[in-house]
Amino acid sequence: MSDFKKDILIFGGGIAGLWLLNSLKKQGYNVALIEKNTLGGAQTLASQGMIHGGQKYILTGNISNHAVNVAEMPAVWASCFQGKGDIDLSKVKTLSDEQIMWSSGNMASNLTVFMAAKAVNGNTIKLDKNNVPDVLKLGDGFKGKAYKLSESVLDAKNLIENLASNQEQDIYKGELTELIKSGNNSDKAIIKDGNGNLHEVSANLFIFTSGQGNEEFAKMIGLNKTEITQRRPLKQIMIKDMNYPLYGHCITANPKPRVTITAHPIENNKYIWYLGGNIAEKSVSLGNIDAIKFAKSEMMDIFPEINWDNKEWSVLEINRAEPNQDNGRLPEGSHFEAFENNIIAWPSKLTFTPSLATKINKWLDDNDYKPSGEQTKLELPHAEIGLYPWEDAEWIKI
């Protein structure tokens, strides 16, 4: 069994782990990231890539702490896109530099979208009917209200590729099989590679950023907490070969977006439309065929000029894993808990990733952690980038 030493070991190769790896390496820590499967493949690449500014979270009329905290994040990401933030994202592609909130046209939905656009973030612009996205102008033209939000939509795979390429030599594929402990502290991790070989890696600090996988890591640490995470099941619907790009939220008088849509380029100048919002939540109680039928019915009502009978559809069933909340609501922001020299962490949303790294870095300073100055390598294979859900989907026509 090979034996190695690191300052910090990170387990989980999604956006949280990769961002934290880049941040800690920048400060000189001898740190490695271990991913069991593929980078970004569990949660990050299944996200819609939206950097939210909080408007979609206050449709009930109440400005929650979650909405206020989200409102701060687009500026943080923008600084990184300009190469001026904690992490240089100047080479990362965006699918869109803005999002749209639009109403269906009745008085109640028009009022709701207006209040949401203005409540937590003044950086919104009302669009006249000539400047809304082309797909909203089909047929008799756009009759609702629309606002442009200066909030980016990321190419999530390109983001993962950039973060991984910066630190490729310290990103490995392996499975944590055991934590060797001394009292409440973790001393060593036993990691199994793809050939069944075991590698022993000691570290001063162990950080777990594996979403739903944090539940298993909590057991390894020896926590008695039975509910370390909460899961929000979703069925996100994918539609193939769309002709128009669209990034935004269809708002009604209800407290959640009727649908949130992102468009992802594929061959022949076509797009995959990836549906979230209320469609993804209401579909959970339905079988996959019925979920597609429900989504199709909603799309036919929102976009009656589009021929939906010639489209191909697919379903992604996924649990969004977040830190457990007593009330079951969305966490107010990023979150971590320290148990001696073990940290279990969640960004809770893609948007909050930078704030998670900031909080953990402050904790390191407060607890007098310092880089050793060493830079050792592990004898493990390197982890590969995962697939978007639509790259490995089964498609049907309804």
Side-chain angles (χ1 to χ4, degrees), residues 3-9 21-33 166-172 201-202 204 370-379:
D3 188 359
F4 300 91
K5 170 73 175 179
K6 285 285 186 180
D7 294 341
I8 300 172
L9 279 178
L21 173 67
N22 277 262
S23 180
L24 294 173
K25 288 289 291 184
K26 185 177 178 180
Q27 297 174 63
Y29 282 100
N30 182 16
V31 55
L33 182 148
N166 292 341
Q167 311 297 341
E168 184 177 4
Q169 71 278 8
D170 290 301
I171 298 172
Y172 304 95
V201 186
S202 57
N204 298 325
K370 304 293 182 185
S372 66
E374 302 176 358
Q375 293 296 328
T376 57
K377 307 301 178 188
L378 306 184
E379 293 180 356

Side-chain angles (χ1 to χ4, degrees), residues 57-91:
Y57 299 112
I58 55 92
L59 299 177
T60 59
N62 297 317
I63 302 178
S64 65
N65 288 336
H66 179 90
V68 172
N69 291 336
V70 170
E72 301 172 355
M73 299 315 301
V76 176
W77 282 87
S79 178
C80 293
F81 294 145
Q82 295 165 6
K84 300 176 182 178
D86 181 41
I87 305 297
D88 184 355
L89 301 181
S90 58
K91 295 181 180 179

Side-chain angles (χ1 to χ4, degrees), residues 189-235:
I190 306 300
I191 300 168
K192 182 170 66 174
D193 64 27
N195 296 318
N197 300 315
L198 298 180
H199 304 257
E200 187 175 274
V201 186
S202 57
N204 298 325
L205 182 67
F206 299 80
I207 303 177
F208 304 94
T209 62
S210 190
Q212 191 169 303
N214 282 349
E215 296 169 355
E216 289 300 316
F217 292 138
K219 294 177 184 177
M220 288 187 180
I221 293 171
L223 299 183
N224 294 322
K225 300 179 70 171
T226 57
E227 295 183 351
I228 195 74
T229 65
Q230 66 183 25
R231 305 185 189 186
R232 285 191 300 113
L234 299 172
K235 280 193 176 180

Side-chain angles (χ1 to χ4, degrees), residues 257-312:
R258 185 176 185 181
V259 65
T260 292
I261 300 173
T262 51
H264 303 266
I266 54 175
E267 64 277 358
N268 299 322
N269 295 317
K270 301 287 188 178
Y271 298 87
I272 300 290
W273 273 18
Y274 194 33
L275 310 185
N278 224 23
I279 283 181
E281 294 189 23
K282 285 188 174 182
S283 294
V284 169
S285 62
L286 304 174
N288 286 353
I289 298 298
D290 285 339
I292 291 173
K293 289 180 178 178
F294 168 61
K296 181 179 179 181
S297 175
E298 290 288 274
M299 291 293 99
M300 290 173 67
D301 190 53
I302 299 170
F303 303 100
E305 301 298 328
I306 293 177
N307 179 6
W308 295 101
D309 290 332
N310 66 354
K311 304 303 180 189
E312 293 184 86

Side-chain angles (χ1 to χ4, degrees), residues 315-334:
V315 176
L316 174 70
E317 297 184 62
I318 189 169
N319 287 318
R320 295 296 186 205
E322 304 160 343
N324 188 62
Q325 307 293 296
D326 291 338
N327 56 16
R329 295 178 181 175
L330 288 171
E332 293 183 355
S334 61

Side-chain angles (χ1 to χ4, degrees), residues 95-117:
L95 299 177
S96 177
D97 293 329
E98 60 193 40
Q99 300 173 35
I100 304 296
M101 291 182 70
W102 80 93
S103 67
S104 57
N106 62 57
M107 184 176 296
S109 64
N110 287 348
L111 178 60
T112 302
V113 75
F114 170 78
M115 296 301 293

